[in-house]
Structures are given as structure tokens and as C-alpha cells.
């Protein structure tokens, strides 16, 4: 690949080792490719330069981009209200806009590597996989609508479950809107 995007979790997930894994992918791939990194912040605060250095080591700061969940996204479609209602068994009945970081589509990527760890998650059942796209690189409309949907389904019905109603929505969004991306998932369990 000539142009590569690495999508690790943010510093709140540093204990997973995703920082040094990202640094190693960068080291290996940057010999022959233009490699960029976007920590999948979601609505967390952007990293400082010191935090980037601590988490991602030798990756140059200019190759690490900040995800702006309010102004740096574009809406590429929506998950229909009827689908949301069906998978949530009537607990939610609104459309979920699919808004993600512009860099996914404004640039031509030969390879996108989603890096992360699989752990229980109160909103999505388990963290990672397409969570990197739809929460980590998601826009405010998507994050708010989907988190409210998950809350209506109840944390006790989400936490530690493989396919939750929200994961079903994210899987549908990935299939409908991101299936053309050249992505690869590298998950640590």
C-alpha cells in the first residue's frame, strides 16, 4: 500500500498496548508508504503532544490527526428508524445518522488498519471492531442518537453481549456505507 491510515483507540485505552502496536505498524509500513494515525477519540478530549509521544512513541506528531466529533465529520447516510425499532424491540424508534470523520472519504486510502482491544463495553456490548468508526470517529449526531438508543435498551442488556441492538445497527451501517473501505481489523483479546 502507498497510503495507510491507522486507527488506534485513544489514551483512555492505553493499557491495551494499542499504542506500541500502532507504533510498530507505523515503523513497518512507513518504510514504503505514507502512514497517518487518527486516535479514535469519540467525544474524548484530543491528546496533547506529550500524550501522543507517551502513547505512540516515535510516530511524528504531524502524522497524528485529531478527530473533531463536532466539525470534522460528514454524514454519509442513516440507519432507518424502522430498523432501529425492530432491533431494539420498540425501545427506540428514531433514525441514527451515520456521520464519520471526513478523512475516511476525503483521502484515498490503500489500507485502513483498525487497532484495538476487545473488552466489555456498556454501550455496545464489546469495545472495538466497527466501534472505532462509529463512536471513535463518529460525529455528534451519530454518537448522541446511538448512545441514547443503547441507554433505552438498558446497560444490563448491553454489557458483555456480542450482538446488541446497537451493534446490529453499526453492522448494518458498516455494510451499507463502509464496505468499500480497504480495512483490516487487528484486535487484541
Amino acid at each position: 500500500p502507498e497510503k495507510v491510515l491507522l486507527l488506534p483507540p485513544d489514551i483512555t485505552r492505553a493499557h491495551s498496548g494499542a499504542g506500541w502496536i500502532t507504533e510498530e505498524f507505523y515503523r513497518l509500513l512507513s518504510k514504503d508508504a505514507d502512514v497517518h494515525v487518527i486516535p479514535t477519540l469519540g467525544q474524548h478530549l484530543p491528546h496533547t503532544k506529550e500524550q501522543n509521544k507517551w502513547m505512540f512513541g516515535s510516530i511524528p506528531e504531524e502524522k497524528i490527526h485529531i478527530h473533531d466529533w463536532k466539525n470534522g465529520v460528514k454524514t454519509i447516510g442513516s440507519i432507518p428508524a424502522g430498523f432501529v425499532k425492530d432491533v431494539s424491540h420498540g425501545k427506540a424508534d428514531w433514525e441514527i445518522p451515520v456521520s464519520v470523520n471526513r478523512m475516511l472519504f476525503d483521502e484515498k486510502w490503500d489500507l485502513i488498519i483498525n487497532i484495538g482491544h476487545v473488552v466489555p463495553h456498556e454501550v455496545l456490548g464489546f469495545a472495538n471492531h466497527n466501534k472505532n468508526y462509529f463512536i471513535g470517529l463518529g460525529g455528534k449526531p451519530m454518537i448522541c442518537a446511538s448512545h441514547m438508543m443503547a441507554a433505552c435498551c438498558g446497560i444490563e442488556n448491553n454489557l458483555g453481549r456480542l450482538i446488541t441492538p446497537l451493534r446490529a445497527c453499526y453492522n448494518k451501517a458498516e455494510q451499507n456505507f463502509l464496505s468499500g473501505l480497504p480495512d483490516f481489523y487487528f484486535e487484541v483479546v
Side-chain angles (χ1 to χ4, degrees):
E2 293 180 11
K3 193 159 185 179
V4 178
L5 180 61
L6 303 176
L7 301 177
D10 72 344
I11 201 162
T12 64
R13 311 293 197 257
H15 62 280
S16 69
W20 70 261
I21 293 168
T22 302
E23 182 182 21
E24 191 62 18
F25 270 121
Y26 184 89
R27 188 186 67 73
L28 291 169
L29 294 167
S30 65
K31 294 173 185 174
D32 300 309
D34 180 20
V35 182
H36 296 262
V37 177
I38 307 175
T40 55
L41 298 169
Q43 57 190 354
H44 295 172
L45 291 173
H47 294 178
T48 64
K49 288 179 183 181
E50 293 76 23
Q51 288 172 320
N52 278 338
K53 180 77 173 156
W54 179 81
M55 185 158 176
F56 302 120
S58 63
I59 299 175
E61 183 67 24
E62 64 272 9
K63 294 292 188 172
I64 303 172
H65 305 276
I66 294 173
H67 171 62
D68 179 352
W69 72 299
K70 292 181 182 175
N71 303 306
V73 299
K74 72 192 245 181
T75 300
I76 56 173
S78 66
I79 303 160
F83 184 84
V84 172
K85 186 175 183 178
D86 286 346
V87 298
S88 71
H89 305 288
K91 293 182 175 124
D93 62 356
W94 50 84
E95 174 183 280
I96 297 176
V98 179
S99 53
V100 294
N101 190 293
R102 292 181 183 284
M103 281 186 71
L104 289 175
F105 297 100
D106 288 354
E107 304 281 338
K108 167 73 172 90
W109 304 105
D110 298 310
L111 178 61
I112 299 172
I113 302 177
N114 281 277
I115 302 160
H117 67 308
V118 179
V119 293
H121 190 269
E122 66 280 3
V123 173
L124 202 49
F126 280 91
N128 231 274
H129 189 254
N130 54 25
K131 176 184 178 287
N132 273 9
Y133 287 130
F134 301 123
I135 295 176
L137 294 183
K140 185 175 186 202
M142 182 167 204
I143 292 173
C144 291
S146 61
H147 278 60
M148 183 58 73
M149 181 233 188
C152 290
C153 292
I155 188 174
E156 68 280 4
N157 299 313
N158 298 331
L159 187 61
R161 304 217 181 204
L162 187 57
I163 302 294
T164 63
L166 183 55
R167 178 68 76 181
C169 290
Y170 285 1
N171 289 347
K172 181 174 182 56
E174 182 177 22
Q175 179 182 4
N176 290 355
F177 305 112
L178 302 183
S179 62
L181 292 179
D183 58 6
F184 175 81
Y185 289 99
F186 186 88
E187 309 292 335
V188 177
V189 178

